[in-house]
Amino acid sequence: MFLDILSILLNILWWIIIVQAVMSWLIAFNVINTHNDFVGQLWHVLDRITEPLYRPFRRIMPDFGGIDLTPMVVLILLIIIQGPVMTYLYRLGVQTGMA
């Protein structure tokens, strides 16, 4: 039960990061404007959710100029967590009778 909820939360986080990355491109290319109330509020919410995840990686990663690779690094980490780690935890739960 706990692992199912964790899996759902990781999927939701995955989509939040994807939406935030695409939105940042649209803002950068002036396709959408943060002066629009809805866009500005959505951008603010997404930034508040993702910034704590990005912060530790931004301290470590070199500066690539205008390119921010932090979302990609976090997505790769999520793939690792959702793949081998979650599979291992599910198997561990089945072996101990917790599943």
Side-chain angles (χ1 to χ4, degrees):
M1 178 72 171
F2 171 74
L3 293 178
D4 294 331
I5 293 171
L6 181 61
S7 180
I8 291 169
L9 291 175
L10 290 174
N11 281 327
I12 291 170
L13 183 59
W14 170 274
W15 284 108
I16 288 172
I17 292 170
I18 295 292
V19 168
Q20 192 258 351
V22 170
M23 196 169 169
S24 73
W25 298 334
L26 293 175
I27 290 170
F29 290 113
N30 261 345
V31 176
I32 59 175
N33 192 330
T34 55
H35 294 296
N36 178 303
D37 286 338
F38 175 74
V39 172
Q41 288 176 353
L42 181 60
W43 179 252
H44 181 71
V45 167
L46 293 174
D47 189 54
R48 301 242 338 179
I49 292 171
T50 57
E51 185 56 33
L53 297 170
Y54 297 161
R55 194 174 303 124
F57 297 102
R58 284 188 175 141
R59 288 185 193 139
I60 300 168
M61 293 181 61
D63 184 20
F64 292 106
I67 300 172
D68 184 13
L69 298 177
T70 311
M72 186 171 54
V73 171
V74 173
L75 287 176
I76 291 170
L77 184 63
L78 282 175
I79 290 170
I80 292 169
I81 291 171
Q82 285 179 312
V85 173
M86 289 297 285
T87 302
Y88 174 75
L89 291 175
Y90 273 118
R91 288 183 183 160
L92 187 64
V94 169
Q95 289 175 352
T96 60
M98 294 184 141

